[in-house]
Amino acid sequence: MAKASGDEANGAAAPAQPKGEGRLVHLRVRRQDTADRTESRRWEEFKVPYLPQMNVISALQQIQKDPRTVDGKEVAPVVWEAVCLEEVCGSCTMVINGRVRQACSALIDQLAPKGEVITLEPMSKFPLVRDLLVDRSRMFEDMKRVRAWIDIDGTHELGPGPRESPERQQERYPLSRCMTCGCCVEACPQYNDGTKFVGAFAINLVRLYNMHPSGAMHEGERLESVMSEGGITDCGKSQNCVEVCPKEIPLVDSLAAVSRDTTKRMLFGWLLK
């Protein structure tokens, strides 16, 4: 018969192990050294210690501290992009377990509650820089195309801005949450190297700035910018964009609104000239 330990003999319960102690997070990362070295494309796997409330970014930081694969090979640290770590800047977008999303809000407990392998890949619709880092310059060029800003007369004191009703503000606010993360265009089948489609995010910005009292002065220019190749007619209505948007922007509503406005301008715009 086994002899009871001192604590058990005295009726005291054995101390519980802290939750997650000894647990490892298993990451499978798609890597490539540079954009032009496609032969270096490969998968590498890492296991890092689990931390409470851990997200994908903190797991990548653990790899950075000791970049060693599961078979013990020392490699270069994984390259990725992140800034705010609170789903505001949009820079840490990557494909996680086959779905495009923000790495900072991707919690390990939700992705791999039973220790499953977590797969990380770069977005496929933008030029690769290295590993998980891509160049999203195309998005910012498209923002220039649709005039995604409000013109002002100067940097001097301009006085109070135009007044808006609370109802109008509530209608515009969800549209303003866009952080140019790229999730919508990564999921869009129309957005690729072979097209000039600006994507749902840019068309949403056309609607946002045309609804602004000052921005409405350039409404015609914005509408005409999406009436040519790569504009609103290139949208295939797949609605993937609204499914993956981390800010739950009503992108389908914006696409419909801008489509309606461009149709009106096409039919009756000559009256305004």
Side-chain angles (χ1 to χ4, degrees):
M1 181 176 179
K3 185 177 180 181
S5 66
D7 287 340
E8 291 174 343
N10 295 328
Q17 292 287 336
K19 186 178 180 180
E21 183 175 345
R23 176 181 170 186
L24 295 176
V25 177
H26 192 169
L27 301 173
R28 186 169 182 255
V29 183
R30 167 69 80 178
R31 306 200 63 180
Q32 185 172 325
D33 295 340
T34 58
D36 56 347
R37 292 188 58 192
T38 56
E39 72 279 2
S40 67
R41 187 179 302 161
R42 63 199 182 278
W43 289 100
E44 288 183 354
E45 297 190 29
F46 304 87
K47 287 187 177 181
V48 297
Y50 169 84
L51 299 173
Q53 306 301 319
M54 196 177 201
N55 60 14
V56 167
I57 293 297
S58 54
L60 288 170
Q61 290 173 333
Q62 292 296 311
I63 295 176
Q64 194 173 42
K65 289 167 60 177
D66 184 20
R68 209 175 290 271
T69 62
V70 291
D71 55 6
K73 180 183 177 182
E74 188 172 353
V75 295
V78 178
V79 176
W80 78 96
E81 186 176 12
V83 180
C84 71
L85 302 182
E86 53 186 3
E87 204 178 75
V88 173
C89 70
S91 64
C92 67
T93 312
M94 59 185 71
V95 179
I96 303 174
N97 286 350
R99 182 182 177 89
V100 64
R101 60 180 301 179
Q102 301 297 290
C104 63
S105 57
L107 301 180
I108 299 300
D109 286 336
Q110 296 174 1
L111 294 171
K114 298 180 181 179
E116 299 90 336
V117 177
I118 299 172
T119 302
L120 307 180
E121 300 173 81
M123 287 193 286
S124 62
K125 301 298 180 71
F126 300 101
L128 181 72
V129 177
R130 181 170 179 172
D131 294 341
L132 302 174
L133 176 63
V134 297
D135 181 0
R136 292 177 295 137
S137 296
R138 176 177 170 179
M139 297 187 72
F140 301 107
E141 291 301 318
D142 287 335
M143 291 175 70
K144 295 177 185 178
R145 168 178 169 171
V146 302
R147 204 183 181 100
W149 63 82
I150 302 296
D151 288 273
I152 60 175
D153 295 329
T155 56
H156 57 281
E157 175 59 45
L158 300 176
R163 298 184 64 181
E164 284 188 276
S165 68
E167 293 77 18
R168 189 67 165 178
Q169 292 174 357
Q170 289 178 7
E171 185 180 2
R172 282 204 307 116
Y173 177 71
L175 312 181
S176 71
R177 292 198 295 253
C178 179
M179 53 188 178
T180 327
C181 65
C183 285
C184 62
V185 294
E186 174 68 18
C188 177
Q190 303 300 114
Y191 193 94
N192 53 61
D193 292 339
T195 71
K196 296 181 180 179
F197 184 45
V198 295
F201 84 99
I203 295 172
N204 173 72
L205 293 177
V206 170
R207 181 188 180 198
L208 169 66
Y209 289 109
N210 281 354
M211 291 174 66
H212 190 278
S214 297
M217 292 189 293
H218 297 281
E219 177 181 5
E221 294 176 49
R222 293 194 187 90
L223 291 177
E224 288 181 5
S225 73
V226 293
M227 289 171 65
S228 57
E229 183 183 5
I232 185 66
T233 57
D234 283 15
C235 174
K237 310 297 189 299
S238 69
Q239 302 187 23
N240 289 356
C241 53
V242 75
E243 293 293 330
V244 299
C245 178
K247 293 301 182 182
E248 300 181 343
I249 299 172
L251 294 171
V252 173
D253 293 346
S254 291
L255 291 167
V258 173
S259 179
R260 181 170 58 249
D261 291 343
T262 53
T263 300
K264 290 179 181 177
R265 186 165 184 83
M266 179 181 64
L267 295 175
F268 308 112
W270 60 274
L271 294 174
L272 305 175
K273 296 181 179 180

